[in-house]
Amino acid sequence: MSGENGYLPEPKGFATAAIHAFQDPEQWSSMAVVTPMVASTTFKQYGPAHYKQFEYGRSGNPNRNVLENCLATLDNAKYGLCWASGLGATMGIASLFKAGDHIICGDDVYGGTNRLFNKVCTKLGLEISFVHETKIESAIKENTKLIWIESLTNPTLKVIDIPAIAAIARKHKVLLAVDSTFVTPYFQRPIDFGADLVVHSITKYINGHSDVIMGVVLTNNKDLYDQLKFLQNSMGIVPAPFDCYQVTRSIKTLALRMKQHMKNSLEVAKFLETHPKVEKVLHPGRPSHPQHELYKKLTSGCSGMLTFYLKNASLEHSQRFLSSLKVFTLAESLGGYESLAELPSVMTHASVPEDQRKVLNITDNMIRLSVGLEDAEDLISDLQQALEKV
Ligand SMILES: *Cc1c(COP(=O)(O)O)cnc(C)c1O
């Protein structure tokens, strides 16, 4: 723990792995330093059913293969599987189970995950319970097969104690899946805490350039990997080779980007904490966050996500603030190099029923920021001028 902000990230060898793991140029006949893009959907066979490594693009592709192995290395996992989206990855995991099986899901998860479990998986006969993280153990039943949590929730940025929940999962012989999209493998590796499956929406920080939709599942469990690999191919939820190529390029700067997201978001949080028009700031890397100590124990740093409440503000005030921003873009999503701002109550979390929004404190004066990689001074002066308009 050192540095101005109390702690700095330094997982050993992360950047080196992102740049080199599984990308030795000597494996290609061209000796290309950059992994060549292979668009071919089919691969020549020596004889019937006798092929070198790949046979058909849905079953496997060189670019996907490189990316999956490299991402596994970054998350300290043995196996990785990429999917056409984060939700595609989630659907793959849900498909490990059969009608009558029970899944326990955190009550404060990504809206699309909630919708997939609640509106699609239940139709296929899975039983789903949305449960507060402190009530997980008492929700386990005979048919419970999976616990699904997020390491840092959205938009309330609640910190989930992964080792504690992993212990419960182990005790009851239930699988644990952790969606760590908001934290990234640069700051936290849930496998090290006992998670069986780790999921990221690559769309967010891992790609980081807001131009690819993709998801990944990481695991150390060979049996789960084999089952998921079968499902990935059988269900056809696969990413395009070009997108894999793009993400392999993006992760070369993941370490650099995350350091800067952390630095910028902490500066923005500090500024907002002192502003008279701001009621409260939620940023897990700031001592003002109620679970700051737990967060420090579980991670080596924080991403660019922060949420704050405008003081005595109505929906109209929040709208005026957001429409006045010039450097921040008013848009959904997160994790890209560009700073984004949004109003969860009417945008990303509009589908959460009003009474549940109240419980979670997702009010009309709650603003979520994805702090990007612009100069922090520019971001702060943009927020300053927009706050003046409220
Ligand atoms: C965006 C997101 C997802 C879904 O990912 P897609 O790539 O959009 O399908 C899942 N979990 C979290 C936490 C997310 O932010």
Side-chain angles (χ1 to χ4, degrees):
M1 299 275 155
S2 61
E4 192 210 348
N5 298 316
Y7 60 110
L8 287 174
E10 235 22 284
K12 199 162 166 246
F14 186 96
T16 310
I19 291 169
H20 294 295
F22 295 91
Q23 295 158 82
D24 181 358
E26 294 192 19
Q27 67 191 297
W28 336 114
S29 57
S30 66
M31 304 283 266
V33 170
V34 175
T35 305
M37 226 295 282
V38 177
S40 186
T41 55
T42 188
F43 299 83
K44 182 174 172 175
Q45 309 200 3
Y46 299 120
H50 176 212
Y51 54 90
K52 191 173 175 187
Q53 186 180 5
F54 302 102
E55 51 176 334
Y56 182 60
R58 173 164 30 72
S59 320
N61 161 281
N63 294 93
R64 198 207 306 168
N65 197 46
V66 165
L67 178 61
E68 290 177 338
N69 285 322
C70 188
L71 288 172
T73 307
L74 298 185
D75 244 304
N76 225 3
K78 288 200 183 95
Y79 311 103
L81 287 165
C82 287
W83 307 73
S85 67
L87 286 181
T90 310
M91 190 61 208
I93 291 176
S95 305
L96 290 167
F97 309 104
K98 58 180 194 308
D101 286 346
H102 178 227
I103 294 175
I104 295 173
C105 180
D107 65 350
D108 186 19
V109 295
Y110 177 69
T113 303
N114 183 306
R115 182 178 56 198
L116 175 62
F117 282 152
N118 205 14
K119 300 259 165 78
V120 181
C121 294
T122 50
K123 242 178 31 184
L124 302 174
L126 291 174
E127 195 189 328
I128 317 281
S129 306
F130 293 94
V131 171
H132 188 271
E133 66 276 9
T134 55
K135 310 237 163 76
I136 286 175
E137 186 157 22
S138 52
I140 293 177
K141 306 192 292 182
E142 209 145 282
N143 57 341
T144 305
K145 295 287 155 72
L146 176 75
I147 299 169
W148 181 285
I149 54 169
E150 291 180 1
S151 45
L152 185 64
T153 70
N154 168 24
T156 56
L157 302 181
K158 195 162 64 172
V159 181
I160 303 299
D161 191 343
I162 302 171
I165 295 175
I168 293 170
R170 230 178 2 255
K171 177 173 154 200
H172 295 272
K173 298 194 168 55
V174 173
L175 294 173
L176 173 65
V178 178
D179 177 342
S180 197
T181 300
F182 270 43
V183 183
T184 81
Y186 185 62
F187 293 126
Q188 182 185 62
R189 291 154 156 180
I191 294 232
D192 296 346
F193 294 135
D196 300 287
L197 297 156
V198 177
V199 185
H200 300 285
S201 169
I202 287 179
T203 314
K204 314 297 167 49
Y205 284 106
I206 292 180
N207 184 56
H209 292 69
S210 304
D211 55 5
V212 172
I213 299 275
M214 200 190 291
V216 66
V217 178
L218 296 318
T219 185
N220 271 343
N221 181 320
K222 173 80 165 68
D223 180 45
L224 285 177
Y225 168 73
D226 288 341
Q227 290 183 55
L228 286 165
K229 173 105 186 132
F230 171 81
L231 290 166
Q232 180 197 40
N233 183 43
S234 302
M235 298 169 83
I237 318 178
V238 294
F242 181 70
D243 285 356
C244 295
Y245 174 90
Q246 287 274 76
V247 175
T248 304
R249 175 183 166 135
S250 294
I251 59 178
K252 306 244 180 302
T253 56
L254 182 56
L256 276 176
R257 286 187 281 110
M258 294 320 295
K259 282 181 205 173
Q260 195 63 30
H261 279 297
M262 173 170 168
K263 189 163 179 286
N264 279 0
S265 69
L266 285 167
E267 284 185 34
V268 166
K270 262 195 246 175
F271 160 75
L272 289 171
E273 278 174 5
T274 57
H275 199 284
K277 286 190 182 166
V278 173
E279 179 191 313
K280 185 168 76 168
V281 177
L282 288 172
H283 186 307
R286 293 286 300 154
S288 59
H289 190 288
Q291 295 166 294
H292 177 63
E293 290 307 319
L294 174 64
Y295 190 77
K296 277 208 291 192
K297 246 199 297 185
L298 299 178
T299 69
S300 59
C302 47
S303 68
M305 297 311 296
L306 76 87
T307 295
F308 70 97
Y309 293 85
L310 287 168
K311 201 177 276 175
N312 302 322
S314 62
L315 178 60
E316 207 179 303
H317 290 119
S318 297
Q319 282 165 334
R320 199 176 318 145
F321 168 78
L322 286 163
S323 310
S324 305
L325 291 166
K326 297 190 170 87
V327 181
F328 279 85
T329 302
L330 173 53
E332 296 188 4
S333 198
L334 60 113
Y337 53 72
E338 74 291 349
S339 289
L340 301 177
E342 66 119 357
L343 192 54
S345 66
V346 300
M347 294 171 67
T348 49
H349 291 70
S351 65
V352 178
E354 202 182 333
D355 52 335
Q356 205 190 335
R357 280 210 305 268
K358 221 176 233 156
V359 172
L360 296 171
N361 220 1
I362 304 174
T363 47
D364 289 339
N365 62 336
M366 176 205 246
I367 312 279
R368 189 187 80 181
L369 301 181
S370 169
V371 179
L373 305 177
E374 300 92 339
D375 296 291
E377 315 79 270
D378 293 334
L379 297 175
I380 288 169
S381 54
D382 190 36
L383 293 167
Q384 173 99 54
Q385 64 83 22
L387 283 167
E388 274 159 27
K389 307 250 162 60
V390 179

